[in-house]
Amino acid sequence: MIGKLDLDPVLVARARELAARAGAPVVELARSHTTVSVERAVLRLAGVQGADPDGIPWVNRLVDAVVADVGLGHGVAVPVFDALAREQLADVTLLAQKAAAGSVRFAVPAGRAATTARRAARRAVAAGVRRIDRRRAERERLVRRFGDPPRRPWIYLIVATGDIYEDIPQAQAAARAGADAIAVIRSTGQSLLDYVPEGATREGFAGTYATQENFRLMRAALDESSRELGRYVRLTNYASGLCMPEMAALAGLERLDMMLNDSMYGILFRDINPIRTFVDQRFSRQVHARAGIIINTGEDNYLTTADAVDEAHTVTVSQLLNEYFAHEAGLADWQLGLGHAFEVNPDVPESLRLELAHALLARELFPDAPLKWMPPTKHMTGDVFRGNLLDGFFNLVGALTGQGMLLVGMMTEAVVTPWLSDRDIALQNVRYVLGAAGGLHEDFVPASGGFIQQRAHQVLGSAVELLERVGEQSLLTAIGEGTFGIMKRPADRGKGLDGVVRHEGDYYNPAVEILEGAGS
């Protein structure tokens, strides 16, 4: 692995070895614990749908009823399907409704009753997994039919009106203007809701609520755009926060193509308990792997709270950890939309060369990953002319370093929620740069031993040193001490900790059994 940066292959291998060493205890933690959201995702795959008159999903009411009677440590699948048999019901949603009314009691069966409940639970969950398999096959057929975008990086653009019925025409207009992937930004604060809202929504704040119906509506609209434009337009939403596993399951069922899914974003920037996050993350990524969904990680966010020059190596460390966790969960390299960002202060001397070094380092460390390159945000001042120029430099670095996805930067970042006209100007900027210099990465080679190579080597060396320290103290300790994004998040604090439970000896999760096995 020489490449344009002449990276030391022994050092690169050492970095991956250290990332695996740091990540392995976290994986073991995830394997031995469950959460309320993991169990709700299992029941969603088994067919639980809808919400009560107050908008609380039936799946929440059902899990709460099981927990009240027998706890969470056995998993909910066996108690639920045992009760279904005892009540002589065929519909697990109806069971949830009866449980919410207090007319069903749950137990942990033994012997033949337990075996029967396990088999029934596996059959029901397998039917949900097969629906995800069919949606993945459907995507593959549509990509063959309509084709992928003709060049890389893919142009990735955000809509964020708060109203799904306003998002749809904006997303379709963006696709006509050149966007290849549409991200529907989630309503402010939704990551802290311990339930998934139900139905189409029109009242989000700085974004639109992520719901199964909103997923369905936007996917159908972008399928129309795919037919119109003759290229498959991808849809992105969020599998993060307190409902990460459920979001992953719903995304698979509704054929989303990408999901924001980072190992530490919720911990650092939403103060969600680290153990809760890592347990939820592993299950959600297993679902993504099965569904053929590309994850987008959130390393770019570190540079909004930490200095992009001083802390560049923390981005590399997080990317290596994200890669390890993703591979362990079954994701392939083509599904790793590892994030990084153009966030060096433009007043720093040689800022563009620093950005080139950082972006090229990511490209060469993860050559088969569809890297997600994020635009400048922190140093936008409200000067839209300067902002448009910075975005042009960002687009140029994306072209020079062969990024996989390029999120469209807005000249009105930090001023207003972008208007359609702002998006149009931003897309013009992207189209010009990619049209004029889209293949420049073939010609761009930094000078041997020059500034860019030296900076990349420095960042990689610092990343290895940090990984060595993390391995000595544990990843959870490093997170608690503020190593990433200068946010201190101890493992015994944070939102959602009360929804985490260690497995009992008879714990059973049919979804994990299927996702980790060969068949469905």
Side-chain angles (χ1 to χ4, degrees):
M1 180 180 169
I2 303 300
K4 298 180 179 183
L5 291 174
D6 195 22
L7 299 177
D8 179 355
V10 175
L11 192 63
V12 171
R14 174 67 174 160
R16 285 197 161 88
E17 175 191 339
L18 290 167
R21 183 182 301 176
V26 172
V27 170
E28 183 53 38
L29 193 72
R31 284 179 172 273
S32 60
H33 289 73
T34 189
T35 74
V36 288
S37 188
V38 167
E39 301 301 324
R40 293 194 301 251
V42 171
L43 294 181
R44 286 183 181 277
L45 291 171
V48 179
Q49 302 180 66
D52 70 13
D54 294 323
I56 303 301
W58 290 121
V59 72
N60 284 67
R61 302 298 299 269
L62 183 52
V63 169
D64 289 348
V66 173
V67 170
D69 286 349
V70 300
L72 197 67
H74 309 277
V76 299
V78 170
V80 162
F81 280 86
D82 173 66
L84 201 66
R86 285 189 284 105
E87 295 291 324
Q88 298 183 330
L89 297 173
D91 185 348
V92 70
T93 302
L94 180 57
L95 179 74
Q97 294 166 352
K98 291 172 69 71
S103 61
V104 176
R105 307 301 298 181
F106 295 92
V108 180
R112 182 176 298 176
T115 300
T116 300
R118 282 186 173 224
R119 288 174 178 167
R122 182 178 169 105
R123 282 196 302 271
V125 171
V129 174
R130 285 195 297 274
R131 289 197 296 274
I132 289 176
D133 291 343
R134 289 195 293 272
R135 300 313 302 269
R136 177 174 181 165
E138 183 180 45
R139 178 196 300 115
E140 291 167 355
R141 287 196 303 273
L142 290 173
V143 171
R144 287 194 301 270
R145 177 181 173 187
F146 298 129
D148 270 326
R151 41 99 197 99
R152 285 289 184 102
W154 290 343
I155 300 173
Y156 181 114
L157 190 132
I158 289 170
V159 296
T161 71
D163 180 344
I164 188 62
Y165 294 107
E166 291 293 332
D167 283 347
I168 286 171
Q170 288 204 14
Q172 291 181 316
R176 292 187 194 100
D180 304 311
I182 302 296
V184 180
I185 291 295
R186 192 165 57 176
S187 181
T188 298
Q190 187 178 349
S191 61
L192 300 181
L193 298 180
D194 215 343
Y195 67 94
V196 180
E198 189 73 17
T201 63
R202 310 197 69 168
E203 70 286 348
F205 302 94
T208 302
Y209 284 102
T211 74
Q212 185 171 6
E213 179 63 7
N214 286 348
F215 289 175
R216 186 191 69 80
L217 289 168
M218 185 60 83
R219 181 64 271 169
L222 293 181
D223 284 348
E224 290 179 9
S225 297
S226 298
R227 284 189 287 272
E228 173 191 338
L229 299 170
R231 55 182 168 82
Y232 184 71
V233 181
R234 284 170 169 79
L235 174 59
T236 307
N237 213 289
Y238 287 67
S240 61
L242 291 171
C243 294
M244 194 185 302
E246 294 170 88
M247 294 292 189
L250 296 175
L253 292 169
E254 299 301 336
R255 191 173 33 89
L256 271 68
D257 307 289
M258 302 180 191
M259 294 294 278
L260 279 290
N261 184 279
D262 182 65
S263 63
M264 289 188 281
Y265 173 83
I267 299 169
L268 300 177
F269 299 99
R270 295 295 180 265
D271 194 22
I272 296 173
N273 174 260
I275 299 173
R276 170 73 178 262
T277 295
F278 285 123
V279 176
D280 284 350
Q281 174 214 261
R282 183 172 188 269
F283 182 89
S284 68
R285 289 187 174 187
Q286 289 179 311
V287 175
H288 290 329
R290 185 74 178 228
I293 288 172
I294 296 171
I295 65 168
N296 295 168
T297 64
E299 284 82 5
D300 57 282
N301 291 284
Y302 304 170
L303 303 185
T304 63
T305 54
D307 184 79
V309 178
D310 295 341
E311 301 299 322
H313 62 291
T314 67
V315 170
T316 303
V317 168
S318 182
Q319 289 169 335
L320 288 161
L321 289 167
N322 257 316
E323 178 191 52
Y324 168 74
F325 290 135
H327 284 167
E328 190 280 329
L331 288 158
D333 284 339
W334 66 265
Q335 293 176 282
L336 306 187
L338 301 172
H340 55 144
F342 188 96
E343 289 286 20
V344 176
N345 185 336
D347 294 329
V348 169
E350 308 296 346
S351 63
L352 185 65
R353 296 169 85 192
L354 289 167
E355 297 285 16
L356 279 166
H358 300 167
L360 195 55
L361 175 62
R363 178 71 286 165
E364 295 206 352
L365 285 176
F366 310 101
D368 299 318
L371 299 179
K372 183 184 175 189
W373 181 226
M374 299 289 287
T377 57
K378 184 165 66 172
H379 299 290
M380 289 293 198
T381 63
D383 180 339
V384 295
F385 301 103
R386 179 178 183 270
N388 200 33
L389 177 62
L390 282 178
D391 286 333
F393 276 26
F394 156 75
N395 296 332
L396 180 61
V397 171
L400 281 168
T401 59
Q403 300 298 310
M405 292 176 273
L406 191 151
L407 195 147
V408 177
M410 296 290 158
M411 73 298 298
T412 46
E413 182 76 40
V415 182
V416 297
T417 299
W419 301 96
L420 276 174
S421 56
D422 301 337
R423 291 196 179 94
D424 187 54
I425 292 170
L427 282 166
Q428 287 180 34
N429 188 321
V430 175
R431 290 197 305 268
Y432 170 71
V433 173
L434 294 186
L440 200 53
H441 62 92
E442 298 176 5
D443 306 303
F444 169 63
V445 180
S448 178
F451 180 94
I452 289 173
Q453 280 196 1
Q454 289 185 40
R455 174 59 182 170
H457 293 185
Q458 178 189 3
V459 172
L460 178 59
S462 297
V464 169
E465 291 174 4
L466 176 55
L467 281 167
E468 288 172 341
R469 294 199 300 274
V470 169
E472 291 169 358
Q473 63 182 178
S474 89
L475 179 57
L476 289 177
T477 299
I479 293 170
E481 293 180 349
T483 301
F484 303 95
I486 64 174
M487 298 289 188
K488 296 182 178 181
R489 303 301 191 198
D492 60 351
R493 299 181 192 173
K495 302 172 181 69
L497 177 59
D498 57 350
V500 184
V501 174
R502 179 176 287 275
H503 292 170
E504 298 288 348
D506 61 352
Y507 176 78
Y508 180 64
N509 184 326
V512 170
E513 186 176 78
I514 292 166
L515 294 170
E516 291 185 350
S520 60

